[in-house]
Amino acid sequence: GACKSVVVLTGAGVSTGAGIPDFRSPGGMYDTLRPELITATEAQRAKMRSDPTWVVMKPMFFANQFPYLEVRRPFILGTQQQQWKATLSH
């Protein structure tokens, strides 16, 4: 039996080599999140303050898409401006 398929599971760290910041590193999205500047209700901001990962959670997105889009804006713009350089792992 020759192998017909190969699957490789990776995480966000695979993109850091391309210059794309990950969420958890110093200076990453969770470290720099400022809920007071996000378009959200006070209750949603409180959840982001207590748990920064809330900004990318499905329940938050379904309730209010603005927080996710606002924190992902730098990545979206960087992609458009071809700021990121694909690596072999991409």
Side-chain angles (χ1 to χ4, degrees), residues 54-68:
W54 186 254
V55 74
V56 294
M57 297 288 190
K58 187 190 284 188
M60 172 66 115
F61 186 81
F62 285 157
N64 180 359
Q65 297 82 32
F66 286 117
Y68 176 82

Side-chain angles (χ1 to χ4, degrees), residues 3-87:
C3 180
K4 294 181 182 180
S5 300
V6 175
V7 175
V8 178
L9 300 176
T10 66
V14 76
S15 296
T16 58
I20 300 170
D22 67 5
F23 290 175
R24 292 173 181 83
S25 294
M29 188 179 77
Y30 296 150
D31 187 41
T32 60
L33 181 66
R34 296 183 55 199
E36 68 276 8
L37 300 179
I38 302 289
T39 305
T41 66
E42 188 49 46
Q44 291 168 338
R45 287 189 194 109
K47 287 182 179 181
M48 285 184 262
R49 277 191 286 278
S50 67
D51 179 6
T53 64
W54 186 254
V55 74
V56 294
M57 297 288 190
K58 187 190 284 188
M60 172 66 115
F61 186 81
F62 285 157
N64 180 359
Q65 297 82 32
F66 286 117
Y68 176 82
L69 295 172
E70 289 171 2
V71 298
R72 299 301 292 153
R73 187 173 192 268
F75 174 73
I76 294 166
L77 293 176
T79 301
Q80 179 187 22
Q81 298 164 356
Q82 299 180 337
Q83 179 178 349
W84 321 120
K85 307 290 185 221
T87 65

